[in-house]
Amino acid sequence: MVNEMTDAVVILSANQAFYDAFSTASFDLMKNVWSSSEEIVCIHPGWAPLYGQEAVMQSWSNILMGGHSPKITCHNAIAHFLKFDLCFVTCFESLQGGTMAATNIFLNEEKSWKMIHHHACLLYTSDAADDMQCVDL
C-alpha cells in the first residue's frame, strides 16, 4: 500500500537524482537513475522518442559526455500516484535560455524507484494569451 506522504519524499528524491545527474554531467549517476528494463522511453525536446536501454543510454552518454550538457534545475515537482509500484512526477526544468515542462515516470523495482520514461517540452508565453503552452519542435 502506498503511503503518499512518505513515498512522495522518496519519489521526489529519485526525481531530484535525475536532475543532479544531468546538472553534474554524470553518466554513471544517470545510468543509476534509469530502470534496466528494455521498456524505457525518453523524449528529449525536439527529438523523436527513443525506445529501449541502448538508445536511451546512448543519448544520455552523448549529452552528458559530449561537453554540451546544459546546467539544469528542477522546480515545482509534484508526485502523482498511479498504483503501488508506479508513479509520475510533473515539474518544470530551468536552463539557460528557457523553461521546459517535464513528466518523469518511475517504477518501483525491488524497493527502489527507477525512471522508465522522461518527456520534456519547451515552454513559451504567447502574446495572445498569458498561459504557458508546449511548443512542437
Side-chain angles (χ1 to χ4, degrees), residues 19-40:
Y19 291 100
D20 291 346
F22 198 166
S23 67
T24 61
S26 173
F27 180 70
D28 290 336
L29 291 177
M30 183 62 74
K31 192 169 182 176
N32 189 51
V33 167
W34 283 85
S35 169
S36 59
S37 169
E38 278 303 315
E39 299 300 316
I40 64 174

Side-chain angles (χ1 to χ4, degrees), residues 22 25 27 30 44 47 50 54-70:
F22 198 166
F27 180 70
M30 183 62 74
H44 298 292
W47 294 30
L50 300 170
E54 184 177 342
V56 171
M57 288 301 107
Q58 184 61 54
S59 76
W60 285 113
S61 176
N62 293 343
I63 291 167
L64 300 175
M65 299 169 75
H68 303 292
S69 179

Side-chain angles (χ1 to χ4, degrees), residues 60-102:
W60 285 113
S61 176
N62 293 343
I63 291 167
L64 300 175
M65 299 169 75
H68 303 292
S69 179
K71 297 298 177 201
I72 186 168
T73 58
C74 171
H75 55 94
N76 295 59
I78 301 170
H80 308 269
F81 298 91
L82 300 175
K83 293 196 234 178
F84 71 95
D85 62 346
L86 192 64
C87 72
F88 66 97
V89 175
T90 54
C91 60
F92 294 96
E93 301 175 345
S94 294
L95 347 90
Q96 184 178 1
T99 301
M100 291 192 252

